Amino acid sequence: MQVTLKILRYNPETDAQPHYERYTLDAEPTDRILDVLEKIKGHEDGTLTFRRSCAHGVCGSCAMRIDGRNRLACKTLLQTLDTSKEITVEPILGLPRVKDLVVDMTTFFDNYKKVLPYFINDEPLPEDGRERLQSPEERERFDDTTKCILCAACTTACPTFWADNSYVGPSAIVNAHRFIFDSRDRAAADRLKILAGESGVFRCRTAFNCTDACPREIKITKAIAEVKRAIITGRLD
Amino acid sequence: MSVKTHQYEVVIVGAGGAGLMAALYASKKASTAVISKLYPSRSHTGAAQGGISAALGNIEEDRPEWHTYDTVKGSDYLGDQDAIEFMCNKAPELVYELEHMGLPFDRTPEGRIMQRPFGGHTNNETGKPVHRACHAADRTGHMILQTLYQQCIKNDVTFFDEFQVLDLIMVNGKASGVVAIEIATGDLHVFHAKAVILATGGWGRVWEITSNAYAYTGDGPAMVLRKGLPVQDMEFFQFHPTGIYKLGILITEGVRGEGGVLINDKGERFMEKYAPHVKDLASRDVVSRAMYIEMKEGRGINGQRYLYLDVRPETVNKYAKIDGRTNPDGTPYQTTAEEILHKLPDIIDFCKTYLGVDPVKEPMPVQPTAHYAMGGIPTNVKTEVLADENGRVVPGLYAAGETACVSVHGANRLGTNSLLDIVVFGKEAGTHAAEYAAGAEFAPLPADAADFARAQLNAILNSKGSERVADIAAEMKHEMMDKVGVFRTEEGIQEALNKIRELKERFQHIHIDDHGRTFNTDLLTAWELSNLLDVAEVTAASALARKESRGAHARDDFPKRDDQNWMKHTLAWRRDGEIELRYKPVVLTKYEPKERVY
């Protein structure tokens, strides 16, 4: 089959403004958008610039806007898109453009680091040196939010984040949730305090864009609601 | 290009599991920087699925000695037994350390770390598979990578993200820093250091069908070869039995650990012919070869180059009954679609996304996929890089993880031992590099420290030919898959070697489109291809010389292992455009080589 990609191009060294370029090529319905981008880069236009690494949805490098929705290029097969029309490929929104589909991730990772995204428990370790105990039910409580790959698809789909990127965004809240609801962690109160602040969870307007965007199918809106509830009730159940 | 200079006592190249573990330990004692071409969370450790091995005995009796023996046997007696024993004895301590860092392992009903069986891991008394792989669903590598990165943030480790290291700076034979390009700006940076740790991962992108990330381009070994240092055992590259057909995406051995079986076109569970005791849970080299034989003899599905991996509950339950598989409490092992979904969520997602196949309802089409480098930069147990076959150390230079060859995997790695390797030897590297740095001075930097890196980039930028990088890469991958893959012959390897040399010549006449400074991935992809070609060449040359079959190196023309002549490690240098091979003995302690039967 033939497919046409309409790609937003921008080279800061030569372009005053971003512009679209169109590429038409042969492809298979099972090709991923990433495969098509690689074909263009390899055989037609080596200047086309995008990030990629694992190519199967676990490293989080290739988040981009595909037909207006945030997706990983490596998890989006042509057969899931309307290929009778041009497929529009643009960089994720809300972060500064670097070149073509590459954006500056600094703000995204800075927001992530604000929520203490690491295990905190200064109590003595078990005397036998072995693992801290945790029941399967306690482990299950935060399972969903351990899946996050920090691809930024959710945060850069969020209208609140577009308007003000001091809002930590859904990804940071997901990563806070992963520790807040971990029975072994001891810093939930500190994280909840941060997230109760002006750049925290109450900026969320429940647009659900984040949940739609997540390539890991994390129930992000639910996780945010649980964090909100924990702040309001002061309970972690 | 302008050059910026930085100074750190320890510089770590790569931010996967080995690099991050090294960073946590080095930064306790020394000023440390981690330089990575990817954001750390993008590293390929995150793609590891099934588990990390340690004889915790949480489900059933297990011992580090059994783990040691299984690893020695799995290595086809090419692994160094002192290093293997060290790693397997350290395993429980390191797994507990990860848990103490917050790693969310799955749990037993008693609240302990959950474990599952994996290929080649056995109870040495009964010969039955043992529950040794500690896991977090089928995303154990993701959890290790995230946990280590989180701890690095907590400990304020300094990162230079999206900086591609291009060259190692050597002063009077000592490692004294690295040169890197800042990808976003195109600026060159010199990192002046007392000690350098290479943790750059593997090079599966040499082959056409691979489970490996685009980033896996052999940067570490290629840089080391260019400094006149050797690489070790490059002929041993693992083909994982179960990659998704055509795509190569990994389907964890944990699928077979949970009771999945391989099936041929006649509906036969063919592994019982090749490994009568542990069947589908034999070592990866054994299973991949069996699959090739099945396909060659016409029993691929519909005569095609794939087989089925079947984890449908009815299939699992049928074969569990035939095998007499039991739960830890002695009751017969039975599973449900819901349990499979819970244990293998990512695998099910991959199959649905890429194949439109739901593995609890249909079998998965799979073929062997290039997966893991057993060889690499030679080191001793302290992770010090070695300069020759006599164990001479390169002062200040360390290597850990897939890029290194200690050698704990020998001729074939057991599943789950890679995640163990990165944490055990990452920690050793960080610890020893910081100790070394404490007693060392900064060597004066040469004025031309960045010249070689700059010259490599300029050669690509100024090349005026018409060859395209993508074409050369495609030809290399096809040739290596065909002729230096699961089965090899003298004639085939020689043809591949000739082809790689022809491609290296053609690489001198490439043309790239992007001559800008900002985020020039056209330039860096070309540079990475030069690394892949160098690595492919030493792989083929090492494979051509080794006239025996051992582990992942299977020669049709020399089908037997030959301990008399070949129980030795290969060291390969590039000298004046030629590959020079020398050999060193395997370290044996208490395990005498035996025939390998699974």
Side-chain angles (χ1 to χ4, degrees), chain A residues 11-13 30 32 34-35 38 40-61 74-75 77 79 98-99 102 104-106 108-109 112-113 117-122 125-126 128-136 139-140 142-143 146-151 175 178-179 182 184 215-217, chain B residues 38-39 41-44 46-47 49 56-58 96 98-113 136-137 139 142-143 146-147 149-151 153-154 161-162 184 205 211-216 247 249-250 342 345-346 349-350 353-356 468-471 513-522 525 528:
Chain A
N11 179 346
E13 295 172 41
T30 51
R32 300 161 273 195
L34 181 61
D35 297 321
E38 282 287 329
I40 296 169
K41 186 174 181 72
H43 300 287
E44 293 192 28
D45 185 351
T47 67
L48 179 64
T49 302
F50 48 92
R51 293 186 174 103
R52 85 282 188 266
S53 191
C54 80
H56 66 287
V58 298
C59 84
S61 295
C74 70
K75 276 194 92 171
L77 274 58
Q79 64 195 15
V98 174
K99 185 178 174 184
V102 174
D104 183 342
M105 302 290 288
T106 309
F108 173 78
F109 280 105
Y112 165 69
K113 290 170 192 168
Y118 37 79
F119 186 72
I120 299 174
N121 181 336
D122 297 329
L125 293 168
D128 60 5
R130 297 174 69 188
E131 67 269 60
R132 290 187 164 101
L133 299 180
Q134 182 171 53
S135 72
R139 168 63 182 77
E140 183 63 25
F142 63 102
D143 187 65
T146 64
K147 295 174 186 163
C148 177
I149 55 174
L150 299 171
C151 69
N175 282 281
R178 176 253 171 274
F179 290 103
D182 185 336
R184 302 166 300 165
R216 304 285 293 154
E217 296 179 6
Chain B
L38 302 172
Y39 281 100
S41 60
R42 315 294 184 223
S43 302
H44 200 54
Q49 297 169 358
L56 305 184
N58 282 355
Y96 292 136
L98 291 172
E99 197 282 332
H100 298 159
M101 291 178 187
L103 197 140
F105 285 108
D106 292 344
R107 298 289 168 154
T108 67
E110 299 76 34
R112 299 213 169 267
I113 294 169
R139 54 178 185 280
H142 165 78
M143 296 302 197
Q146 295 287 326
T147 300
Y149 184 46
Q150 291 156 1
Q151 290 297 308
I153 293 170
K154 186 180 183 184
D161 297 332
E162 297 191 325
R205 285 276 154 182
S211 66
N212 284 188
Y214 278 101
Y216 257 25
L247 293 170
I249 296 168
L250 179 67
H342 195 257
D346 279 9
D349 175 43
F350 297 153
T353 300
Y354 298 110
L355 298 167
R468 287 201 72 91
V469 166
D471 293 331
D513 298 332
D514 195 339
H515 292 80
R517 297 175 52 82
T518 310
F519 223 95
N520 190 341
T521 52
D522 204 20
T525 303
E528 289 173 331

Side-chain angles (χ1 to χ4, degrees), chain B residues 171-240:
Chain B
V171 178
N172 298 327
K174 293 182 183 176
S176 306
V178 299
V179 185
I181 182 171
E182 182 178 1
I183 298 173
T185 63
D187 290 338
L188 285 182
H189 293 248
V190 165
F191 291 85
H192 190 196
K194 294 177 180 177
V196 174
I197 301 172
L198 298 173
T200 55
W203 46 91
R205 285 276 154 182
V206 161
W207 288 270
E208 194 167 32
I209 302 293
T210 180
S211 66
N212 284 188
Y214 278 101
Y216 257 25
T217 54
D219 303 351
M223 281 190 281
V224 161
L225 282 164
R226 286 175 199 138
K227 291 291 151 186
L229 293 167
V231 290
Q232 183 175 326
D233 293 341
M234 296 295 282
E235 62 271 43
F236 299 101
F237 198 90
Q238 179 167 82
F239 284 74
H240 192 292

Side-chain angles (χ1 to χ4, degrees), chain B residues 298-526:
Chain B
R299 293 188 293 278
I301 305 300
N302 300 321
Q304 304 287 303
R305 304 286 292 168
Y306 67 93
L307 293 151
Y308 280 142
L309 174 60
D310 193 342
V311 74
R312 291 177 294 180
E314 59 271 29
T315 308
V316 170
N317 293 339
K318 173 182 158 188
Y319 288 102
K321 196 170 172 191
I322 291 170
D323 293 348
R325 183 171 175 172
T326 54
N327 295 315
D329 64 5
T331 57
Y333 180 86
Q334 292 279 289
T335 194
T336 62
E338 194 186 348
E339 280 175 2
I340 290 167
L341 187 64
H342 195 257
K343 287 172 176 169
L344 303 164
D346 279 9
I347 293 308
I348 287 164
D349 175 43
F350 297 153
C351 289
K352 285 183 176 170
T353 300
Y354 298 110
L355 298 167
V357 163
D358 181 347
V360 299
K361 297 194 183 122
E362 294 169 81
M364 299 168 253
V366 293
Q367 71 183 131
T369 184
H371 185 56
Y372 186 86
M374 273 75 71
I377 301 165
T379 76
N380 58 24
V381 179
K382 290 167 75 179
T383 72
E384 295 167 320
V385 171
L386 304 176
D388 63 23
E389 67 276 31
N390 301 315
R392 182 166 60 86
V393 164
V394 181
L397 190 59
Y398 299 79
E402 188 172 351
T403 207
C405 182
V406 183
S407 137
V408 284
H409 310 303
N412 172 66
R413 174 175 69 77
L414 291 190
T416 69
N417 271 352
S418 59
L419 290 176
L420 179 60
D421 175 354
I422 61 176
V423 292
V424 169
F425 292 104
K427 179 174 175 173
E428 292 301 303
T431 306
H432 292 299
E435 269 171 24
Y436 171 86
E441 300 293 324
F442 282 101
L445 272 186
D448 61 354
D451 284 9
F452 182 58
R454 187 186 289 110
Q456 289 183 65
L457 296 183
N458 284 341
I460 295 167
L461 286 166
N462 299 331
S463 182
K464 295 278 187 279
S466 57
E467 294 280 356
R468 287 201 72 91
V469 166
D471 293 331
I472 295 175
E475 288 183 44
M476 170 193 70
K477 289 166 199 284
H478 183 79
E479 190 78 3
M480 291 296 285
M481 194 76 199
D482 212 25
K483 294 170 184 164
V484 195
V486 171
F487 280 106
R488 304 161 175 190
T489 64
E490 174 105 18
E491 192 187 7
I493 303 168
Q494 184 63 60
E495 284 168 9
L497 192 53
N498 297 345
K499 180 75 179 185
I500 297 301
R501 286 175 174 154
E502 175 207 316
L503 294 173
K504 289 183 82 158
E505 163 56 27
R506 284 168 54 191
F507 184 83
Q508 303 304 314
H509 308 286
I510 55 168
H511 171 81
I512 64 166
D513 298 332
D514 195 339
H515 292 80
R517 297 175 52 82
T518 310
F519 223 95
N520 190 341
T521 52
D522 204 20
L523 170 63
L524 293 175
T525 303

Side-chain angles (χ1 to χ4, degrees), chain A residues 163-191:
Chain A
D164 175 7
N165 62 24
S166 72
Y167 168 47
V168 294
S171 175
I173 299 169
V174 162
N175 282 281
H177 179 284
R178 176 253 171 274
F179 290 103
I180 290 167
F181 292 94
D182 185 336
S183 59
R184 302 166 300 165
D185 188 88
R186 294 292 175 267
D190 298 327
R191 293 192 193 90

